[in-house]
Amino acid sequence: EPEVTQTPSHQVTQMGQEVILRCVPISNHLYFYWYRQILGQKVEFLVSFYNNEISEKSEIFDDQFSVERPDGSNFTLKIRSTKLEDSAMYFCASSPDTSTDTQYFGPGTRLTVL
Amino acid sequence: SQQGEEDPQALSIQEGENATMNCSYKTSINNLQWYRQNSGRGLVHLILIRSNEREKHSGRLRVTLDTSKKSSSLLITASRAADTASYFCATQGNSGYSTLTFGKGTMLLVSP
């Protein structure tokens, strides 16, 4: 069964550094998302992406964040200058052909900012 | 309470028993989805129920949706130790946007 994959599984970085989290959505899916989960808290929506542009973003998704689909398979989340509070599990998700459909999540990247 | 609030926060049962988790939400929805998360792992989609549906089954899972009460329940029958995980409900609104709004989750512990 096709799955969403994410790399790396764990990323440790110093405060102020840039990180890029990578995702490979399910191949025939058209909608892509990033969510994050701070330890012990709710899963929070960051951004959705469709047709090569952001379709929706939350208040969390400020100018420090950006997303890109650099080729036909990868979907990346970049944090330009990481802060301690960016430490969280970051989940990528994709859904097939409508925005109101099942979202399939990847295993997550645990980001630790020191 | 906030959108997508589950109760109880934690549930401890014996193998073979049924587990019921509830979710309440505040705004109108297009659908409600349940996810499972094993400790420190990713989210696994379990079931989606649309706003015009009242009940849905998938294997040992039964989900109900009451839009008049803005609530949903997830029943896991004949639970197994492998069902031990956190369970989250997530709602998707009617605005045309695809954002999932998650609750805080119910932590289920199934003891052998």
Side-chain angles (χ1 to χ4, degrees):
Chain A
E1 188 173 330
E3 292 180 333
V4 176
T5 59
Q6 291 184 242
T7 53
S9 57
H10 191 188
Q11 173 99 42
V12 181
T13 190
Q14 296 290 324
M15 192 169 55
Q17 295 295 305
E18 174 183 287
V19 294
I20 297 176
L21 310 182
R22 291 183 167 79
C23 168
V24 179
I26 295 172
S27 64
N28 59 346
H29 285 191
L30 300 178
Y31 289 82
F32 314 114
Y33 314 87
W34 284 101
Y35 292 80
R36 78 171 186 192
Q37 185 182 31
I38 295 171
L39 187 63
Q41 297 189 22
K42 290 185 182 186
V43 175
E44 301 172 292
F45 168 76
L46 293 178
V47 66
S48 60
F49 193 85
Y50 170 71
N51 201 25
N52 283 319
E53 59 182 26
I54 291 173
S55 52
E56 189 183 5
K57 60 183 180 180
S58 72
E59 293 176 351
I60 303 167
F61 193 86
D62 61 22
D63 292 344
Q64 293 298 313
F65 291 89
S66 62
V67 289
E68 195 177 28
R69 188 153 163 83
D71 52 43
S73 61
N74 290 284
F75 179 51
T76 61
L77 174 69
K78 182 192 289 186
I79 310 175
R80 287 188 184 81
S81 178
T82 50
K83 304 184 282 258
L84 295 176
E85 54 265 38
D86 293 328
S87 294
M89 184 77 97
Y90 288 80
F91 294 106
C92 173
S94 68
S95 62
D97 51 12
T98 64
S99 62
T100 51
D101 210 330
T102 300
Q103 294 184 18
Y104 295 89
F105 282 74
T109 292
R110 181 168 297 284
L111 176 64
T112 302
V113 182
L114 303 175
Chain B
S1 62
Q2 298 175 24
Q3 186 83 347
E5 289 290 318
E6 294 92 337
D7 76 86
Q9 289 186 337
L11 181 61
S12 184
I13 59 174
Q14 298 291 316
E15 260 191 333
E17 294 180 340
N18 295 341
T20 300
M21 288 159 272
N22 302 297
C23 169
S24 61
Y25 57 92
K26 287 200 160 189
T27 60
S28 63
I29 62 171
N30 178 283
N31 65 69
L32 185 146
Q33 305 181 33
W34 284 91
Y35 287 83
R36 184 185 75 222
Q37 184 181 37
N38 290 80
S39 179
R41 307 292 295 275
L43 294 158
V44 176
H45 181 263
L46 296 176
I47 197 165
L48 179 153
I49 187 165
R50 300 197 184 276
S51 59
N52 61 352
E53 296 175 310
R54 292 296 166 259
E55 187 170 313
K56 209 161 179 182
H57 296 253
S58 177
R60 293 184 295 112
L61 305 180
R62 174 179 163 247
V63 170
T64 62
L65 179 65
D66 186 335
T67 52
S68 66
K69 294 181 180 177
K70 292 186 169 58
S71 67
S72 172
S73 68
L74 171 68
L75 169 68
I76 303 173
T77 60
S79 62
R80 306 165 182 166
D83 295 329
T84 294
S86 291
Y87 291 82
F88 297 88
C89 71
T91 56
Q92 207 164 41
N94 276 321
S95 65
Y97 294 124
S98 52
T99 304
L100 282 177
T101 302
F102 282 83
K104 291 182 180 177
T106 293
M107 192 176 303
L108 174 66
L109 173 63
V110 183
S111 302

